[in-house]
Amino acid sequence: MLFEHIGVLLRREVDTGSPAGRPSENSLDFPFEFNRGLVTDSYSLPEEALRVLKEQTADVEGDIDRLIAYSETIGQLFPGLLMGTATTVCELRRDAYATICDLSWIRQFYEDISTNESDYPFPRIHHAHFSWTHIRWLQVNLLFALDLHIRHAGRLRRNLTTDLRVRLEHDVHDAQILALGVLEGELATRESKLQKWHLLLQSGDVEQSGHAAD
């Protein structure tokens, strides 16, 4: 079964003003047949495929730039992550990951950026916060940005190379998979980081049931 891309779910929420739903509720229903022309040297993508490929490439590049920007500002949200004793730094980092997964905090953070960001039509979110793709996508981006901020000691943009940007593209794809898995409530992966973050983000489901009237 194939699911809609994370960008499609985000755009759907903007258009409808409602949660897009689980990925399994947004499956693609069409017969698949391998295009044998792909194995020939003379094959060229049709114009429609080239257009979609260009759009998706631009989306990924935008997501990479967003990760870099978040990694530069996340130290302001969670100061002290790169200094202090080993015990203090470990506690601050653990608290930062937990805070990103907290319902009240992410709801306020979303409201702040949606109010101050004029270039993107953020939908208004009043209820069932963790069922929204926008909320889950924001949380996942912040988790990856926090990890990048720590691993690169706050100097990600300064250290940026062609190879590192390729690795960031891989992070973007992993982030999309994680967000879809959290929305669905299930994720099959061998990567320990994604397993850990999936469990951490799923803990928000408990909080959601206690804030059903929000």
Side-chain angles (χ1 to χ4, degrees):
M1 181 180 294
L2 299 176
F3 303 129
E4 290 283 15
H5 184 268
I6 193 80
V8 174
L9 301 184
L10 291 170
R11 287 190 287 271
R12 186 167 298 161
E13 290 185 347
V14 170
D15 293 339
T16 65
S18 301
R22 292 172 178 253
S24 58
E25 298 169 349
N26 293 274
S27 60
L28 298 171
D29 185 17
F30 62 87
F32 174 79
E33 183 178 350
F34 180 74
N35 186 346
R36 297 185 182 278
L38 292 171
V39 300
T40 66
D41 295 334
S42 59
Y43 180 78
S44 297
L45 288 172
E47 287 298 321
E48 177 64 16
L50 289 172
R51 182 187 65 78
V52 172
L53 181 61
K54 184 177 180 180
E55 291 176 353
Q56 293 186 348
T57 299
D59 286 344
V60 170
E61 290 298 318
D63 288 336
I64 293 173
D65 292 337
R66 189 175 300 108
L67 265 185
I68 295 172
Y70 278 156
S71 76
E72 292 176 321
T73 59
I74 205 158
Q76 301 171 23
L77 295 173
F78 306 107
L81 294 171
L82 304 177
M83 60 188 68
T85 65
T87 300
T88 300
V89 168
C90 183
E91 291 177 352
L92 288 173
R93 292 176 180 179
R94 184 180 62 246
D95 290 345
Y97 282 110
T99 297
I100 291 171
C101 298
D102 177 72
L103 173 65
S104 299
W105 187 87
I106 197 66
R107 175 175 56 187
Q108 185 59 56
F109 185 74
Y110 178 87
E111 290 177 357
D112 290 343
I113 64 172
S114 63
T115 299
N116 297 320
E117 175 60 68
S118 59
D119 294 334
Y120 182 85
F122 287 92
R124 297 294 300 275
I125 297 178
H126 299 290
H127 64 285
H129 296 79
F130 282 172
S131 65
W132 286 76
T133 306
H134 275 80
I135 291 294
R136 290 309 201 179
W137 185 229
L138 177 59
Q139 286 180 301
V140 167
N141 271 275
L142 290 176
L143 289 176
F144 272 86
L146 179 60
D147 181 63
L148 289 167
H149 175 76
I150 293 170
R151 284 196 286 119
H152 294 275
R155 297 189 294 268
L156 176 59
R157 191 182 298 273
R158 190 184 310 174
N159 297 336
L160 198 60
T161 63
T162 301
D163 288 343
L164 178 53
R165 192 168 181 92
V166 171
R167 293 200 295 274
L168 290 177
E169 181 180 346
H170 296 167
D171 280 341
V172 166
H173 294 311
D174 284 344
Q176 293 170 352
I177 292 170
L178 178 58
L180 291 173
V182 175
L183 285 164
E184 186 63 33
E186 299 179 33
L187 179 66
T189 178
R190 292 184 177 181
E191 187 166 343
S192 59
K193 180 173 66 178
L194 297 188
Q195 292 174 353
K196 179 179 67 176
W197 289 350
H198 183 262
L199 290 173
L200 190 59
L201 287 164
Q202 284 297 317
S203 67
D205 290 342
V206 177
E207 295 183 68
Q208 180 186 3
S209 64
H211 292 76
D214 289 356

